[in-house]
Amino acid sequence: FTHALVQSLAPRGVPMWLHEGLAVMFEPQGDEWSQNELASAPARLPLKRLAESFGTLSGTEARLAYAQSAAIVRALFESGGPLAVGAVLQDIARGDSFAEAFERRMFMAYDTFIAGLETAR
């Protein structure tokens, strides 16, 4: 359902981590699963890799990608709330890049957000 909702709001331009992170976060115990996966993972995938399809990842890498994606979405919800995330999707649908939409709706530089994710490992 989450994928269909995201697709209906923004048919293109949504990073894969946002698609998958929202789906995991809306699953029962999705946030808990994500936190447990990340706690036991020795490393993280580069954020740039999470923007692309997860189809070529190994099973272990895919689990990590889904868990990281959920953690990023959790950080988005903590930063701006669900309404801001919805507004980001609407801006993407109008043709804005994710970074432009993020900065407009989250009132934070995208690079600052990314740097915070990198240091929170």
Side-chain angles (χ1 to χ4, degrees):
F1 175 77
T2 303
H3 292 296
L5 180 61
V6 170
Q7 188 69 25
S8 71
L9 290 171
R12 60 187 147 319
V14 178
M16 186 60 64
W17 62 260
L18 183 53
H19 256 289
E20 299 300 347
L22 285 167
V24 171
M25 291 298 293
F26 291 128
E27 290 177 2
Q29 291 85 41
D31 188 42
E32 181 181 344
W33 173 84
S34 168
Q35 290 180 36
N36 290 338
E37 285 293 313
L38 292 175
S40 66
R44 301 287 186 270
L45 295 169
L47 187 61
K48 182 177 179 175
R49 179 59 187 94
L50 298 177
E52 305 164 5
S53 170
F54 294 177
T56 59
L57 297 174
S58 71
T60 301
E61 290 172 329
R63 287 179 67 87
L64 180 57
Y66 285 105
Q68 279 182 250
S69 297
I72 296 166
V73 169
R74 182 182 339 101
L76 281 178
F77 274 57
E78 290 170 357
S79 293
L83 293 178
V85 174
V88 166
L89 290 170
Q90 291 173 337
D91 290 350
I92 291 170
R94 284 192 287 275
D96 290 346
S97 71
F98 178 81
E100 292 169 325
F102 175 91
E103 290 179 359
R104 179 180 306 112
R105 301 304 181 166
M106 298 294 178
F107 305 107
M108 175 190 308
Y110 183 60
D111 290 342
T112 300
F113 177 73
I114 297 304
L117 292 173
E118 297 292 327
T119 59
R121 293 179 179 198

